Amino acid sequence: MLFAAQRVHVAARPRFKMAAPMATARVDVSGIKDPKLDMCVRRALSVAPLALQIVAECPITKARACSLALPHCVVNTPVFMPVGTQGTLKGITVDQLEDLGCQICLGNTYHLGMRPGPELIEEANGLHGFMNWKRNLLTDSGGFQMVSLVELSEVTEEGVKFCSPYDGRETLLTPEQSIAIQNSLGSDIMMQLDDVVSSTVTGPRVEEAMKRSVRWLDRCIAANKNPERQNLFAIIQGGLNAELRKACLDEMIKRDVPGFAIGGLSGGEEKDDFWRMVTLSTDHLPREKPRYLMGVGYAVDLVVCVALGCDMFDCVFPTRTARFGSALVPWGSLQLKQKQFAKDFQPIDPDCQCATCRRHSRAYLHALFKCDTAAMHHITIHNISYQLTLMRAVRQSIIDKCFPEYVKSFMRRMFPSPEQYPKWAVDALASVNIKLD
Ligand SMILES: [Zn+2]
């Protein structure tokens, strides 16, 4: 299972009003706005396909706001990246994603590599051309899908062997093939193929997987045909073992890749182990490179992990939960299929500026859910808007030097009382000098 059950707090209306600029955060759709930044970015891009400019650092925590220049536009971080699968995000169009101000989204290498296949996508000028998406794309290595979707996968030094769920044939995905597919897709950020073990596995397999991931990183670097246009990110492994994580960090940092992902977490481990591994990683990762925490998308996790120094996040949670009728709000979530919303004429969130909240009531969405898949679509738009708006507000608070206050008001609004704050979040925030009251 990818995600542990999330604690949600269902309420008919907000309990607290926030002082932080959550609802008023401006949508920056253009990517590049500041002409000075534009110049600096273009200069950097002339030699490398990625440049990270640190805009502000929180003086209290490890949080930072950056401008990450990628080939298709500048990404303002911290950023949440919605996840697409087969060249599309379930329940949302590319136009709508653009309107929400999304500057980068994920494409799924495994599915795209199988169907329609890299040749066809290359013919369409890569995944950008195929989807007609003008902003940035990040593709995964395809390895994780294999481990999570295919029961019969076997890892050897050569690569990951698995039976294709499409035609049942035995297939081998090597680091070289993963990069070849991602080169055909033309993504702005490519992920290395790593040897993924569940975060709950312990023993020698964790060390083996970590060392193999380092060897595979070298093979991925060597296989990248487009280092001037496509950024390859390393994935830090090492399970929940601090020594292994540190050894992996040391090795991968030596490779001087354009960016680093913290991998192998969010797989059902204790949250206390999770945050300690995250903070260990950000303590050692180079300041001038982007840090991507994979598979994290719950609002509380995002805010805490920004405090621990992460810049980028992705997760299928907001789009997947939308399809079950769950709308994300600053005080938890609303299960719109529940009867209590049948006569509720408020929008999902009165402070939300998204197309769904501007036009539709909870009652309408509740009724629509019974007869039309359009309901899922409307909630998907709202949930992606919620994630992107949350990250913009977090970023603005870092720039305005009030991030710790923002975190406190965020927690006060998310939980009915301080007694309900998750202990791991309280401890993690205390480790970066935010004492929740
Ligand atoms: Zn909304």
Side-chain angles (χ1 to χ4, degrees):
M1 192 54 197
L2 241 181
F3 310 107
Q6 187 197 25
R7 274 188 74 175
V8 289
H9 304 275
V10 181
R13 61 188 67 239
R15 287 190 172 82
F16 299 98
K17 206 75 188 158
M18 272 182 94
M22 186 161 222
T24 52
R26 273 270 182 73
V27 178
D28 173 15
V29 247
S30 72
I32 300 176
K33 277 253 170 92
D34 179 350
K36 265 193 292 187
L37 175 65
D38 199 352
M39 284 263 298
C40 134
V41 159
R42 276 168 208 282
R43 219 177 299 126
L45 282 181
S46 65
V47 292
L50 175 153
L52 186 82
Q53 187 194 29
I54 298 172
V55 176
E57 282 173 300
C58 172
I60 313 280
T61 69
K62 296 198 272 174
R64 55 205 215 144
C66 307
S67 290
L68 175 63
L70 290 169
H72 284 81
C73 69
V74 171
V75 176
N76 293 330
T77 72
V79 65
F80 176 80
M81 305 179 285
V83 184
T85 47
Q86 309 192 13
T88 160
L89 266 97
K90 283 186 187 157
I92 190 166
T93 67
V94 162
D95 274 348
Q96 289 164 332
L97 204 55
E98 249 175 50
D99 289 344
L100 290 173
C102 174
Q103 297 161 329
I104 180 167
C105 69
L106 262 73
N108 189 304
T109 296
Y110 172 73
H111 291 295
L112 293 163
M114 286 287 180
R115 206 172 51 187
E119 298 79 15
L120 187 91
I121 291 175
E122 207 165 355
E123 241 175 80
N125 290 323
L127 191 49
H128 288 91
F130 190 59
M131 288 171 69
N132 197 11
W133 170 249
K134 294 178 178 59
R135 300 190 186 145
N136 300 294
L137 282 167
L138 182 149
T139 47
D140 60 59
S141 68
F144 183 73
Q145 269 70 32
M146 256 162 256
V147 175
S148 60
L149 290 178
V150 184
E151 280 176 32
L152 296 168
S153 64
E154 186 201 344
V155 180
T156 65
E157 191 57 30
E158 216 185 339
V160 187
K161 229 185 262 174
F162 65 101
C163 284
S164 160
Y166 290 101
D167 57 15
R169 272 189 307 173
E170 192 176 84
T171 318
L172 176 77
L173 182 77
T174 63
E176 290 77 12
Q177 281 163 340
S178 169
I179 296 299
I181 298 171
Q182 296 185 73
N183 277 157
S184 297
L185 298 179
S187 49
D188 302 273
I189 297 176
M190 304 188 292
M191 302 308 298
Q192 76 155 107
L193 184 71
D194 54 346
D195 185 359
V196 185
V197 285
S198 161
S199 54
T200 51
V201 169
T202 51
R205 178 72 185 98
V206 182
E207 183 167 0
E208 180 195 55
M210 181 277 277
K211 289 183 173 164
R212 182 170 289 134
S213 294
V214 177
R215 292 193 293 274
W216 284 4
L217 173 60
D218 288 336
R219 285 168 61 186
C220 288
I221 294 170
N224 184 6
K225 278 189 300 188
N226 307 322
E228 74 299 339
R229 311 201 281 280
Q230 292 187 271
N231 298 289
L232 175 64
F233 276 31
I235 304 178
I236 311 295
Q237 291 290 348
L240 305 177
N241 181 317
E243 266 173 50
L244 291 181
R245 282 258 160 202
K246 177 69 177 47
C248 191
L249 278 157
D250 287 344
E251 277 309 311
M252 287 184 169
I253 291 166
K254 280 186 212 158
R255 269 73 181 171
D256 199 30
V257 285
F260 296 91
I262 304 167
L265 298 175
S266 282
E269 72 278 3
E270 291 294 325
K271 282 284 191 167
D272 204 49
D273 292 324
F274 161 79
W275 79 261
R276 287 178 201 282
M277 289 299 122
V278 172
T279 207
L280 168 87
S281 307
T282 53
D283 276 346
H284 291 96
L285 284 169
R287 181 175 172 268
E288 69 285 0
K289 297 278 172 82
R291 303 144 172 193
Y292 162 30
L293 180 56
M294 303 176 85
V296 167
Y298 297 155
V300 172
D301 301 18
L302 292 171
V303 169
V304 171
C305 293
V306 166
L308 299 179
C310 298
D311 306 313
M312 305 162 74
F313 307 88
D314 81 288
C315 191
V316 293
F317 163 70
T319 41
R320 180 176 288 169
T321 203
R323 297 198 293 277
F324 292 101
S326 176
L328 306 175
V329 287
W331 60 99
S333 64
L334 303 180
Q335 310 307 317
L336 289 168
K337 285 197 218 171
Q338 287 176 357
K339 254 204 214 118
Q340 66 179 108
F341 299 111
K343 290 180 186 167
D344 187 340
F345 298 110
Q346 296 180 84
I348 295 171
D349 175 0
D351 290 330
C352 178
Q353 305 297 313
C354 86
T356 303
C357 290
R358 281 203 312 262
R359 182 162 295 186
H360 300 302
S361 66
R362 297 170 183 176
Y364 172 76
L365 295 167
H366 172 85
L368 197 62
F369 225 98
K370 295 193 173 141
C371 56
D372 195 335
T373 52
M376 299 182 194
H377 169 92
H378 291 310
I379 302 169
T380 301
I381 290 181
H382 167 80
N383 281 1
I384 293 179
S385 173
Y386 170 79
Q387 301 284 106
L388 300 182
T389 306
L390 170 69
M391 297 313 265
R392 280 186 208 113
V394 165
R395 174 182 161 88
Q396 196 56 49
S397 76
I398 299 169
I399 294 171
D400 295 342
K401 302 269 181 269
C402 60
F403 176 69
E405 291 72 31
Y406 177 87
V407 174
K408 287 179 193 171
S409 56
F410 165 86
M411 293 294 283
R412 275 200 297 274
R413 197 172 183 197
M414 184 58 82
F415 296 95
S417 71
E419 291 76 53
Q420 281 162 288
Y421 292 169
K423 187 174 179 304
W424 75 270
V426 173
D427 293 345
L429 290 169
S431 80
V432 284
N433 312 309
I434 297 184
K435 204 176 164 323
L436 295 176
D437 22 59

